[in-house]
Amino acid sequence: MDNHLLPITRYFLTELEFSPMEFRSIVLKFPKIFSHSLFKVKHVVGYFRYELGMNASQVKRILFQAPQVVSLNTDDTLVGKVNFIQDAFKLRHQDHDNDGDSDSDSDDNDDLSSDYGAFSRSRRLDNIRKVITGMPTLLLCSIENNLKPKAEYLLEEFGGDELELRQTVLTLPTLLGYSLEKRIKPRMARIAEVGIEPIKITTGITMTEDNFAKWLENQRLRVENGGRLTSNKPTFSRSIYGNADHFDEEIDEPNYQPLDAIILSEKNRDNNTTQVGTGR
């Protein structure tokens, strides 16, 4: 208890500034958190803070929604998944700078170069920070069985357009949380049949089946009318919570709410630990 339970509890409540209710939710999701040392937990937090440049709120979001990340090997599994997500979904910025390198012997120039290099590196990590904080449970997914098939399929559907793939993932990181076979492929196929641009999947993926059918029909009529709005435009909910049966079995239900709102919504819900699988 003195080596694990109490130090980890104090760390989450004082240094990470989780509320008791938030920490309770974390423990219910992942009781095995106490089987890891405080050093291990801090090592993972340090990677997010200092290697990926995340702020405290972003780190809290990841730990709250995917506390299982503390069990990942930082130097191998965690870094490998982050690098794969960046490469597979084309999230690295394409600007080629010198990262602050300078041939000047001036101390002032060296300082400016160092500052610019740090800024440039941070900017290059903007995309991966946005995706991971938008869908923290991606870090719990299998690369071969989950992330890679989705990346390959989406890139093919976008006709090899890496910029459009990147924009789609940045617009809706939770897209990657849906089942490839049960949700993404069927919706993409129906969007293609109507003849609208593939990036519209960021809108269509979140709807219930009935609302998706109505939205798709409206899109079809717009295409036939040269892009003009029709009078029977349906209303629909952009909520992603009514379709949990089509979320990837490997991923928790995504949530964009603030932590305090999440806590309130979970007070009367069974908080059994989510077991992460490797299925598609």
Side-chain angles (χ1 to χ4, degrees):
M1 178 178 291
D2 291 338
N3 294 328
H4 291 272
L5 195 153
L6 290 179
I8 289 176
T9 300
R10 292 193 189 103
Y11 178 66
F12 271 79
L13 296 180
T14 58
E15 295 190 44
L16 297 180
E17 298 184 344
F18 281 99
S19 71
M21 184 66 74
E22 289 169 348
F23 184 60
R24 173 182 178 275
S25 181
I26 289 173
V27 173
L28 289 173
K29 290 177 182 177
F30 187 54
K32 290 184 179 180
I33 192 170
F34 292 121
S35 67
H36 299 281
S37 68
L38 179 58
F39 176 82
K40 177 68 171 65
V41 175
K42 286 186 174 182
H43 192 56
V44 172
V45 171
Y47 171 72
F48 290 132
R49 287 299 306 270
Y50 304 113
E51 294 298 320
L52 296 186
M54 293 183 177
N55 59 40
S57 296
Q58 291 172 325
V59 174
K60 286 182 67 176
R61 183 179 185 84
I62 292 173
L63 292 176
F64 184 83
Q65 295 198 17
Q68 297 93 333
V69 296
V70 302
S71 67
L72 301 180
N73 182 293
T74 309
D75 298 326
D76 183 15
T77 308
L78 187 55
V79 173
K81 287 184 177 180
V82 168
N83 288 335
F84 179 84
I85 292 170
Q86 286 192 94
D87 293 335
F89 298 102
K90 318 304 175 186
L91 300 178
R92 298 183 189 273
H93 279 278
Q94 298 303 306
D95 56 320
H96 298 285
D97 51 55
N98 293 324
D99 289 339
D101 291 339
S102 174
D103 295 329
S104 173
D105 293 330
S106 169
D107 291 339
D108 290 340
N109 285 342
D110 287 344
D111 291 339
L112 289 174
S113 296
S114 177
D115 291 342
Y116 178 77
F119 171 79
S120 178
R121 180 176 182 275
S122 177
R123 181 175 179 272
R124 289 199 302 272
L125 295 171
D126 283 347
N127 289 343
I128 188 62
R129 284 195 293 262
K130 182 175 182 179
V131 171
I132 291 177
T133 55
M135 191 66 185
T137 47
L138 290 178
L139 296 174
L140 308 179
C141 295
S142 163
I143 290 178
E144 292 298 324
N145 296 326
N146 191 306
L147 298 174
K148 185 176 180 180
K150 288 175 181 175
E152 292 175 345
Y153 171 77
L154 289 172
L155 185 59
E156 181 179 354
E157 289 298 303
F158 289 127
D161 190 331
E162 296 182 353
L163 181 60
E164 190 166 11
L165 173 62
R166 181 194 310 149
Q167 186 58 48
T168 299
V169 174
L170 289 174
T171 299
L172 189 72
T174 54
L175 169 66
L176 304 179
Y178 289 90
S179 169
L180 179 61
E181 299 298 331
K182 295 179 181 179
R183 190 59 166 258
I184 298 176
K185 284 185 176 181
R187 294 278 170 107
M188 287 291 289
R190 293 171 68 182
I191 285 175
E193 289 175 1
V194 171
I196 58 178
E197 56 270 29
I199 199 172
K200 289 290 188 179
I201 188 63
T202 57
T203 299
I205 197 71
T206 65
M207 302 177 194
T208 64
E209 189 62 33
D210 288 343
N211 282 332
F212 178 68
K214 294 175 183 177
W215 172 81
L216 206 60
E217 175 62 15
N218 188 65
Q219 294 299 310
R220 183 186 67 79
L221 294 174
R222 291 182 64 178
V223 171
E224 292 179 355
N225 285 276
R228 295 189 299 274
L229 290 173
T230 60
S231 60
N232 62 336
K233 182 178 181 181
T235 58
F236 59 85
S237 170
R238 292 293 301 274
S239 172
I240 58 178
Y241 302 113
N243 308 288
D245 55 320
H246 291 291
F247 275 97
D248 198 302
E249 295 87 346
E250 194 174 8
I251 300 180
D252 290 336
E253 180 180 335
N255 194 328
Y256 276 119
Q257 295 175 302
L259 287 183
D260 54 352
I262 298 173
I263 290 298
L264 289 175
S265 68
E266 291 188 350
K267 288 184 68 176
N268 297 315
R269 191 178 73 184
D270 183 11
N271 289 294
N272 291 329
T273 303
T274 300
Q275 296 297 322
V276 179
T278 57
R280 293 167 60 184

